[in-house]
Amino acid sequence: MIELAKSSEPLLDASWLDYTLLGVYFVLVLGIGFLARRSVSSSLDFLLSGRSLPAWVTGLAFISANLGALELLGMTANGAQHGIATVHYYWIGAIPAMVFLGLVMMPFYYGSKVRSVPEFLRRRFGPGAHLVNALSFAVAQVLIAGVNLFALALIMNALLGWSISVSIVIAAAVVLAYTTLGGLSAAIYNEVLQFFVIVAALLPLTIIGLTKVGGWQGLVDKVSASVGGPEQLSAWPATGLTGIADATLSVIGLVFGLGFVLSFGYWTTNFAEVQRAMSAKSMSAAKRTPIIGAYPKVLIPAVIVIPGMIAAVAVPEITALKQGAGAEGVEYNHAIMYLMRDLLPNGFLGVALAGLLASFMAGVAANVSSFNTVFTYDLWQSYVRKDRPDEYYLRVGRLATVGGMVVAIFTALIASGYGNIMDYIQTLFSFFNAPLFATFILAMFWKRMTPAAGWIGLVAGTLAAVAVDRLVAAEVLSLTGQGPAFVGAGAAFVVDILVSVAVSLVTKPKPDKELVGLVYSLTPKADRAHSVTGEDAGWYRSPAVLGAGVLGLTVVLSLLFI
Amino acid sequence: MTSHSKKAGLFDLRLIIALLFGVYGVVLTITGAGFTTAEEIQKAAGINVNLWAGLGMLVTAAIFVVWAKARPVVVPSEFADDADGVGEPGH
């Protein structure tokens, strides 16, 4: 991306009309911030939306918070490079974990009234595991926000010719304005708006692209005849994606590495996601949040992976790249931008730009709005200034938002010095998520797990993932593609479980009565249940029915593309 | 209760979405109907995307308005109940 950024000619020829449509979008985004401000009167309002949002809003925000820069550019790039197999990131890599979060874990998260994922660890294990998790999460969020900002600036530079630093500052100012004013409500409302704008931009782009290559059959013929060949039209065994040559091992790697450890780790313990569900207005709505989000998640590859595949056969630059003759500075990450350039007229181009910017800002806002909550409740209130009135923490929350954003601007500027920092951050993030999931599973289902095991398990799991990463770097283990991340996450998970069990057996557990509401066997069934009256009535609002429905839909789609 | 009753005033997001798609829809439909060149249509595989996306957005906006009118935001007392966890069994 850096090379592209340095080219002086902007990729797109945006007119005043496109800028006007982009401007309309910005005005609405800021308007939501101002309107949401009226509803903020306590720190809980600001940092957790006062737990008042309906399920369809939190569900779409749940998806949108993840539909950031890495997702949009990265998955179209994967589609161009690997073809249909990219759907695994959605169907295997997200749906089961989202349903699991809703049905199995949400009763403990929402039912225990904790305000963050680290706070759950503090209630369950005490300060050791809490501090480890709160600190690593806060640092990771600020770094990732910086990377998102930097990616956004690169795109603006490439597409429209805006300078990198001006783009960073403008984007940061807009996100900061609405998150500081309206807190999580503004961030979530904007995420829902962003979701619709992104779909409104991508759906027509996909339809035009498909028409251009001669419909679905035309795409099939052209992809079959291209470098990747017919394998790129079937999802299994995805050897290209995993970098594991043996078909059986590749499937095992996908199901266990991506499907189980990586995706469960990401979706069930990443506070930037879980926070959206915690802000729901009832237990039923909280359980439904990730499951409602799963429905668009199943379908969204149609407008992300397919455009990537179209770009690989219809965009000359990407076709050349796939044949191994890519021009200087052309990357798979640019696939969707080239497609916009080649297909869209002025007018709709403005909508597509708004969609692209929306996706970037959604990512940054999710990072910042989860950072400020963890900073305020889990670091400042827990370890620095306890027992102040709530207005104090509301102010801390606002200041943390500003502070986090300013630091993110600097990390964005640092990121501009490195070409591959995105891979680096992604790897770092998987270091923390895979062991966290292992710890959570034990913590929620095994009351014997002790406070010492809580933090020692986390640290050991992270070290295991780091060790795998180093072994790959030293070429002791030879893995390519996504292989290292899958194996590293698997190792982190297994080591975390083994160490946690071993440490638990020789240390003292917490008394049962302190674990009510936190551990499955000690929580009465009534506490885990949700109301089925009023706004939560009806079979179609049952989390179990909705969850079964989305799993069924995923299976059907998987069979269609086997 | 006092802090929560304000939340009843939290604007209806569905109307904001309708507003955005309404404005986009009008601008794109007009652009598509009168100001999109044959060359631009050619570029988009023969589809007048401004016109069709514009019309689609107007329909989307209408659907959101109808939804918002048919199922208005609930009264504040229910918000307060659930926000306090009172509405949930077991709390």
Side-chain angles (χ1 to χ4, degrees), chain A residues 213-301:
Chain A
V213 296
W216 178 251
Q217 194 53 48
L219 181 63
V220 166
D221 295 342
K222 288 195 167 69
V223 171
S224 301
S226 76
V227 181
E231 302 83 283
Q232 297 220 330
L233 290 159
S234 56
W236 299 96
T239 45
L241 190 73
T242 56
I244 302 171
D246 182 83
T248 318
L249 288 179
S250 175
V251 171
I252 293 173
L254 266 180
V255 173
F256 186 73
L258 174 67
F260 186 59
V261 179
L262 272 183
S263 101
F264 275 68
Y266 176 82
W267 290 102
T268 63
T269 64
N270 180 7
F271 180 54
E273 293 294 336
V274 176
Q275 184 181 30
R276 269 79 199 142
M278 283 181 175
S279 65
K281 65 181 177 181
S282 69
M283 174 72 97
S284 171
K287 287 183 182 175
R288 273 181 280 142
T289 294
I291 298 172
I292 288 177
Y295 281 87
K297 188 76 180 172
V298 174
L299 301 174
I300 221 161

Side-chain angles (χ1 to χ4, degrees), chain A residues 55-351:
Chain A
W56 73 272
V57 168
T58 52
L60 289 179
F62 190 89
I63 281 308
S64 202
N66 169 256
L67 201 54
L70 295 172
E71 169 85 7
L72 198 59
L73 297 185
M75 290 302 151
T76 43
N78 270 329
Q81 197 174 358
H82 302 299
I84 290 278
T86 309
V87 297
H88 290 309
Y89 284 101
Y90 297 83
W91 297 345
I92 295 218
I95 305 302
M98 292 165 79
V99 173
F100 184 83
L101 170 65
L103 294 182
V104 181
M105 295 178 74
M106 201 45 71
F108 302 101
Y109 278 138
Y110 196 86
S112 64
K113 293 284 169 208
V114 293
R115 298 164 300 182
S116 68
V117 167
E119 188 167 289
F120 183 91
L121 287 176
R122 189 175 56 143
R123 294 265 303 275
R124 178 67 181 76
F125 294 122
H130 176 246
L131 195 57
V132 168
N133 183 230
L135 279 175
S136 66
F137 180 81
V139 171
Q141 288 306 304
V142 173
L143 284 178
I144 295 169
V147 172
N148 272 327
L149 270 180
F150 175 60
L152 180 150
L154 282 180
I155 302 303
M156 287 301 101
N157 179 273
L159 290 180
L160 303 172
W162 298 359
S163 98
I164 301 261
S165 39
V166 168
S167 306
I168 289 180
V169 171
I170 289 179
V174 171
V175 175
L176 185 60
Y178 73 74
T179 47
T180 319
L181 284 169
L184 186 63
S185 296
I188 285 184
Y189 273 24
N190 269 316
E191 279 159 9
V192 175
L193 188 68
Q194 281 152 356
F195 173 81
F196 286 107
V197 176
I198 293 167
V199 173
L202 290 178
L203 187 61
L205 183 67
T206 310
I207 293 171
I208 297 169
L210 273 179
T211 312
K212 185 111 177 171
V213 296
W216 178 251
Q217 194 53 48
L219 181 63
V220 166
D221 295 342
K222 288 195 167 69
V223 171
S224 301
S226 76
V227 181
E231 302 83 283
Q232 297 220 330
L233 290 159
S234 56
W236 299 96
T239 45
L241 190 73
T242 56
I244 302 171
D246 182 83
T248 318
L249 288 179
S250 175
V251 171
I252 293 173
L254 266 180
V255 173
F256 186 73
L258 174 67
F260 186 59
V261 179
L262 272 183
S263 101
F264 275 68
Y266 176 82
W267 290 102
T268 63
T269 64
N270 180 7
F271 180 54
E273 293 294 336
V274 176
Q275 184 181 30
R276 269 79 199 142
M278 283 181 175
S279 65
K281 65 181 177 181
S282 69
M283 174 72 97
S284 171
K287 287 183 182 175
R288 273 181 280 142
T289 294
I291 298 172
I292 288 177
Y295 281 87
K297 188 76 180 172
V298 174
L299 301 174
I300 221 161
V303 294
I304 292 187
V305 180
I306 293 177
M309 294 168 66
I310 294 170
V313 293
V315 174
E317 285 91 340
I318 303 289
T319 311
L321 178 63
K322 210 167 171 178
Q323 285 162 349
E328 178 76 22
V330 176
E331 288 178 21
Y332 284 114
N333 282 335
H334 308 149
I336 198 155
M337 296 185 268
Y338 284 114
L339 213 54
M340 283 165 59
R341 177 200 65 181
D342 288 355
L343 300 179
L344 299 182
N346 288 118
F348 193 77
L349 186 62
V351 176

Side-chain angles (χ1 to χ4, degrees), chain A residues 400-557:
Chain A
T401 313
V402 178
M405 200 53 140
V406 171
V407 177
I409 290 177
F410 283 103
T411 55
L413 294 174
I414 298 170
S416 65
Y418 296 87
N420 61 351
I421 193 148
M422 278 195 212
D423 300 341
Y424 174 66
I425 293 280
Q426 245 179 344
T427 313
L428 266 189
F429 210 49
S430 74
F431 287 174
F432 297 111
N433 276 336
L436 198 54
F437 172 59
T439 296
F440 262 88
I441 285 299
L442 277 183
M444 284 179 173
F445 293 97
W446 193 41
K447 65 175 185 171
R448 180 72 181 72
M449 187 175 182
T450 63
W455 71 268
I456 296 173
L458 276 181
V459 173
T462 301
L463 289 178
V466 175
V468 169
D469 181 66
R470 288 298 91 202
L471 288 175
V472 171
E475 291 174 7
V476 178
L477 289 171
S478 64
L479 294 162
T480 56
Q482 295 284 321
F486 293 176
V487 174
F493 181 85
V494 172
V495 168
D496 184 310
I497 295 273
L498 292 178
V499 170
S500 298
V501 170
V503 173
S504 290
L505 294 176
V506 297
T507 48
K508 195 169 157 315
K510 286 180 91 167
D512 283 3
K513 66 173 173 26
E514 289 178 24
L515 299 177
V516 174
L518 304 171
V519 179
Y520 184 83
S521 61
L522 298 172
T523 306
K525 203 165 189 311
D527 281 8
R528 286 182 275 118
H530 53 85
S531 79
V532 289
T533 55
E535 289 247 301
D536 297 328
W539 62 269
Y540 58 92
R541 289 208 184 91
S542 155
V545 171
L546 288 168
V550 77
L551 288 177
L553 181 61
T554 310
V555 170
V556 170
L557 285 171

Side-chain angles (χ1 to χ4, degrees), chain B residues 66-78:
Chain B
V66 169
W67 182 19
K69 294 293 171 205
R71 303 280 291 271
V73 176
V74 252
V75 286
S77 63
E78 263 202 70

Side-chain angles (χ1 to χ4, degrees), chain A residues 21 25 28 35-36 38 45 52 56 111 189 197 212 281-283 341-346 348 527 541, chain B residues 7 9-11 14 20-21 24 28 31 40 43-44 47 49-50 53 64 67 71 79 82-83 88 90-91:
Chain A
L21 290 171
Y25 179 71
L28 267 185
L35 287 171
R38 289 187 311 174
D45 285 343
S52 67
W56 73 272
Y189 273 24
V197 176
K212 185 111 177 171
K281 65 181 177 181
S282 69
M283 174 72 97
R341 177 200 65 181
D342 288 355
L343 300 179
L344 299 182
N346 288 118
F348 193 77
D527 281 8
R541 289 208 184 91
Chain B
K7 225 172 273 96
L10 191 53
F11 53 98
R14 293 170 291 188
L20 178 70
F21 281 133
Y24 274 12
L28 286 182
T31 309
E40 282 181 312
K43 180 177 166 186
I47 298 171
V49 61
N50 282 339
F64 273 101
W67 182 19
R71 303 280 291 271
F79 272 102
D82 272 350
E88 297 301 316
H91 291 290

